[in-house]
Amino acid sequence: MAFDVDLFVIGGGSGGVRAARMAAARGARVALAEQSRLGGTCVIRGCVPKKIMVFASQFRETLDLAPGYGWTLGDGAFSWETFRARLDAELDRLEGVYRRLLEGSGVTIHPTRAVLEDPHTVRLEDGGRVSAAHVLVATGGHPVRPDIPGAALGLVSDDMFTLDRLPRSLLIVGGGYIACEMAGIFAGLGVQVTQFYRGAQILRGFDDEARGLVAEALQERGVSLHVGTDLLCLGGPDAVFDLPAGERPPEPEGPSDGPVKVKPTHGAEQVFDAVLFATGRAPSTKGLGLEEIGVRLGRRGHVEVDRYSQTAVPSVYAIGDATDRPALTPVAIRDAMAFAETVFGGKPTPVDHEALASAVFTQPELGTVGLTEEEAREREPVEIYATSFRPLRTAFAERPDRVLMKLVVSRETRRVLGVHIVAPDAGEMIQLAAIAVRMGATKEDFDRTIAVHPTMAEEMVTLREPVRRA
Ligand code: NDP
């Protein structure tokens, strides 16, 4: 049977765009549908604008440090309006780059929502149908709010890049990547930030020592962090929360543009200019016709796929945040390349997420690869090499900031099982450490490497004695 295209990609984010381009480069006729903006979460409402906001927020620290280095500077003032205009222009530019990359590869772009009608037919919301030999679901994910009264009054991460004005006070709910990054950003921009996290320590799943240091650093930067605290409900500034049992106030229709009153599990009711829910993300897989045609969805709504990204329906594949794989842009991109190689390159290529490094862009950053100390101890006897110290740049200006360099080493094989860094630019450092970990470097390989001096990262090759064995 002749199809209109060899590949139809649903979703124009990092994964979808890469898959479309790679398939086209291998001679496939490709179409792609995107209902919002090309570039997806990473480029439009995630990694890229977030990193630019991190840069914007870091000038405060530079201004704070400058007098310690002999500079006399004015107070400095930040204009959200000026910044927003420049950010919008940059995102428009990047979206244009993505569009040109697709068009230059010969990919047909449909700026609309696409839904599967059968294993080879995609229906476009703006009219028409396209038949495809293969369909790739690359629809990504979206932020979710908890199911509590008034939750709709809260913002989600998507909203943080399009705020009309900077709030004076901001409550952030959550303790994951987004909550911690946003706390650092908005505190740096001069907002009074309060963070509620329901558990005992933020950044669950990361190395315990590293989590502790990031929590301290957030507080040193003015974030009022309350662990073991959650939200019970939200309302307008005059809301009365003590309604009769079982009664819920009417649900608001959308985020508030005025003050929000909250009732926490601990402590008194408080009013904030804005509330941000950074309480996780869910795969965007609803209403795509997937289950109707036999594609299996998991408990979280993610598309179930095998190592080749193939679903239960042989012509339908899925990659990125729509699946249960780590919700990270480079994972989606790598999966896209493996998919294109498998389906259009004649070389079955399973996805490979071994030694996956990532960074949390707090201030300082947390970079991590491999096993945490806690995970490694569960598996085998380990040695821990670690140092925490005051780095020259901030110590010179008499700031108390500390950094952490930590290696988790197998006692049996001597392999470095995990590296954890809390330091300015830890994201840059961990990328390089990940190569060594991926190659199976031993502690002795690290030791044989001569230090680059004076740097913070040199500590990674000069850690002589373990701080503990477990
Ligand atoms: P995470 O899953 O990282 O964190 C969610 C946080 O919200 C956790 O602290 C969780 O608590 C808490 N939470 C979940 N549900 C509730 C609830 N009902 N009430 C109160 N608290 C709740 O999600 P994020 O939204 O921060 O980020 C999503 C994903 O996006 C990340 O996991 C990551 O893969 C990716 N990402 C990566 C970035 C990077 O690479 N730098 C940056 C941003 C996002 P608990 O720990 O108790 O479950």
Side-chain angles (χ1 to χ4, degrees), residues 140-191:
H142 58 272
V144 288
R145 293 177 175 83
D147 180 24
I148 55 173
L153 288 172
L155 305 168
V156 291
S157 56
D158 294 0
D159 303 317
M160 304 315 280
F161 308 109
T162 55
L163 292 172
D164 290 332
R165 61 185 176 83
L166 212 52
R168 272 163 314 188
S169 61
L170 172 67
L171 170 66
I172 300 179
V173 184
Y177 281 86
I178 296 179
C180 296
E181 291 179 347
M182 288 290 170
I185 289 169
F186 282 92
L189 295 179
V191 175

Side-chain angles (χ1 to χ4, degrees), residues 50 145-147 173-179 181 197-199 203-204 230 278-281 321 326-328 358-361:
K50 179 274 304 288
R145 293 177 175 83
D147 180 24
V173 184
Y177 281 86
I178 296 179
E181 291 179 347
Y197 173 54
R198 63 184 178 181
L203 294 171
R204 184 167 61 83
D230 209 351
T279 44
R281 297 176 60 86
D321 293 8
L328 299 169
S358 81
V360 188
F361 292 94

Side-chain angles (χ1 to χ4, degrees), residues 8-11 32-36 110-116 122-128 139 284-290:
F8 196 101
V9 180
I10 308 181
L32 177 147
E34 168 57 56
Q35 63 182 10
S36 175
H110 298 280
T112 186
R113 182 170 173 80
V115 174
L116 274 157
V122 173
R123 181 167 44 81
L124 302 174
E125 204 166 67
D126 65 0
T139 47
S284 298
T285 53
K286 283 211 182 92
L288 290 175
L290 292 169

Side-chain angles (χ1 to χ4, degrees), residues 53-109:
M53 279 170 65
V54 168
F55 290 141
S57 71
Q58 281 172 338
F59 286 94
R60 173 173 298 268
E61 179 172 282
T62 308
L63 291 172
D64 286 351
L65 288 177
Y69 280 86
W71 286 85
T72 306
L73 300 173
D75 280 349
F78 172 72
S79 162
W80 174 255
E81 290 70 26
T82 307
F83 173 73
R84 258 281 324 260
R86 292 190 50 81
L87 181 64
D88 288 352
E90 176 62 5
L91 300 187
D92 288 347
R93 187 187 74 78
L94 288 172
E95 190 182 1
V97 170
Y98 271 70
R99 183 179 308 284
R100 282 193 296 280
L101 283 172
L102 285 172
E103 287 170 352
S105 308
V107 175
T108 306
I109 304 170

